[in-house]
Amino acid sequence: MHDVKIGDRLIGPDEPPFIIAELSGNHSQDFDLACAMVDAAAEAGAHAIKLQTYTADSMTLDVATDDFVISEKDSLWHGESLHALYQKAATPYEWHKPLFDRAKALGMLAFSSPFDGEAVDFLDSLDVPCFKIASFELTDLPLIARAASKGKPLIMSTGMASLAEIEQAVHCARRNGCDNIVLLKCTSTYPADPGNTNLNTIPNMLSAFHCQVGLSDHTGGIGVAVASVALGTTVIEKHFVLDRSAGGVDAAFSLEPAELKLLVTESERAWQGMGQVRYGGSQAEEAAKQYRRSIYISADVNIGDTLDESNLKIVRPAFGLAPKHWQEVLGSKARTALKKGTALRWEHLEK
């Protein structure tokens, strides 16, 4: 396994998680709104924005039969035809360059998910730093081969995919010249239930495919995404919207700017918190050791007095003998007069 470089950004366990704000179709085909989303993502600290590159006609057929209508009762898009939905959600091709340029001017990387070969070529002409393969396209091996042939990293979502299907996609990418691969654990329901997210798959993916693994998360909030960092994710992708209540095709499971900012902050904290296997306290904890407990004189003692529970106590701080010596000390004679508050030491005791 090796780090993956996307643009000027290293993706790997020694780097903070790479946070992608997915604009999807939440711009509602309003260019000014799309620009405002890019600005808000940058202000929130996202490391990249991602678009989706398709047209309704490149995605599906304009056919009114049942095959082409979303029939799931619990779907956000129940009853919509696929063609109409994709027409409403598509990002116009002429927006890509200005949005990419705007993101780059704000210090973010910018790329997209191509959904057909022509989209791969179009994005390549814009010099994107990588390609993202969506979960539903993971089995489209010709698409993966086309993207892999461009010599750029591939980020591939794995929602619904079996182990064999992921293996086929990874093999296809490598066979066509791409070994810089990031797999994203994903649950392809919209929104996703945390109970169906199965983050424990992430370590298995790491060992099975020997590449970077991240999370494309459709759950509400940031809890699942932050938790994934503890299991080894190096990339987190979340859908983004300026205001959920204002709508947008993916608004229901998208983060608002304040939440995206919190994700950037808390995922980095989680990454910092992982550290190494360590016992005995860190260097930063060294000074705190003085506030452990130790044996102190709790009442004035004269020379020759017996030391017992009437004049000794185990208290904080830790400048006296350690509590483990309590039984050894009890019954000893004081070698010198000792004031209340004296940290007991061996030299205070008669031999």
Side-chain angles (χ1 to χ4, degrees):
M1 190 186 304
H2 58 270
D3 290 354
V4 172
K5 192 170 186 181
I6 298 179
D8 60 357
R9 172 84 188 208
L10 271 180
I11 310 298
D14 295 329
E15 305 294 330
F18 181 63
I19 308 300
I20 303 167
E22 161 69 87
L23 270 60
S24 180
N26 283 335
H27 49 62
S28 299
Q29 294 193 326
D30 178 337
F31 181 69
D32 290 338
L33 177 57
C35 289
M37 292 174 72
V38 172
D39 295 350
E43 189 173 348
H47 306 119
I49 60 119
K50 190 185 80 66
L51 307 180
Q52 296 179 359
T53 306
Y54 62 83
T55 66
D57 289 331
S58 72
M59 200 69 138
T60 190
L61 302 177
D62 189 5
V63 176
T65 61
D66 288 348
D67 283 1
F68 294 88
V69 175
I70 298 171
S71 59
E72 291 86 358
K73 298 284 188 186
D74 58 350
S75 172
L76 294 173
W77 311 292
H78 172 67
E80 289 222 48
S81 79
L82 292 177
H83 194 272
L85 177 63
Y86 297 136
Q87 204 161 38
K88 181 167 61 176
T91 300
Y93 275 42
E94 61 269 22
W95 289 12
H96 282 61
K97 187 177 188 307
L99 291 178
F100 287 172
D101 288 346
R102 191 180 192 97
K104 287 185 275 190
L106 293 168
M108 292 187 294
L109 295 172
F111 52 95
S112 187
S113 294
F115 289 82
D116 64 278
E118 290 182 4
V120 171
D121 294 342
F122 169 71
L123 291 171
D124 190 46
S125 75
L126 297 180
D127 198 27
V128 291
C130 65
F131 296 102
K132 162 73 193 296
I133 303 298
S135 287
F136 290 80
E137 277 59 48
L138 191 74
T139 56
D140 187 348
L141 299 185
L143 176 66
I144 292 173
R146 182 86 156 256
S149 72
K150 302 298 184 180
K152 297 176 179 181
L154 277 185
I155 301 173
M156 299 195 289
S157 280
T158 63
M160 307 167 289
S162 67
L163 197 62
E165 288 170 335
I166 299 172
E167 186 174 19
Q168 289 167 5
V170 170
H171 180 65
C172 176
R174 288 175 172 156
R175 190 176 65 245
N176 285 276
C178 179
D179 193 39
N180 289 311
I181 298 168
V182 180
L183 295 175
L184 301 187
K185 173 69 181 75
C186 181
T187 301
S188 293
T189 54
Y190 308 90
D193 187 317
N196 290 331
T197 302
N198 297 311
L199 292 181
N200 281 324
T201 309
I202 290 166
N204 185 264
M205 289 174 70
L206 284 163
S207 65
F209 299 106
H210 304 289
C211 59
Q212 298 300 321
V213 173
L215 177 71
S216 179
D217 181 32
H218 302 134
T219 64
I222 68 168
V224 167
V226 172
S228 75
V229 177
L231 294 167
T233 58
T234 52
V235 174
I236 296 171
E237 178 187 77
K238 290 283 279 188
H239 285 241
F240 180 60
V241 70
L242 290 186
D243 179 1
R244 271 191 299 275
S245 66
V249 291
D250 297 340
F253 55 91
S254 298
L255 295 184
E256 293 181 346
E259 296 167 317
L260 179 62
K261 184 174 184 178
L262 197 60
L263 173 63
V264 173
T265 300
E266 296 303 327
S267 63
E268 182 162 351
R269 281 181 177 159
W271 168 75
Q272 290 171 334
M274 292 304 295
Q276 303 168 338
V277 176
R278 181 164 188 164
Y279 296 96
S282 64
Q283 188 64 37
E285 295 173 281
E286 198 60 34
K289 288 182 178 179
Q290 66 184 299
Y291 299 111
R292 287 175 164 180
R293 300 174 83 88
S294 67
I295 304 172
Y296 268 79
I297 300 297
S298 60
D300 290 349
V301 169
N302 295 315
I303 296 174
D305 282 356
T306 299
L307 298 176
D308 56 26
E309 292 179 352
S310 68
N311 50 33
L312 290 179
K313 200 168 183 181
I314 297 173
V315 295
R316 295 182 183 185
F319 300 116
L321 293 174
K324 66 183 180 181
H325 299 300
W326 181 250
Q327 293 300 326
E328 297 174 69
V329 166
L330 289 179
S332 299
K333 301 290 185 181
R335 188 177 182 183
T336 183
L338 300 168
K339 289 286 189 183
K340 178 181 179 179
T342 301
L344 189 67
R345 304 184 188 282
W346 292 118
E347 58 263 32
H348 297 151
L349 309 179
E350 288 184 358
K351 294 181 181 179

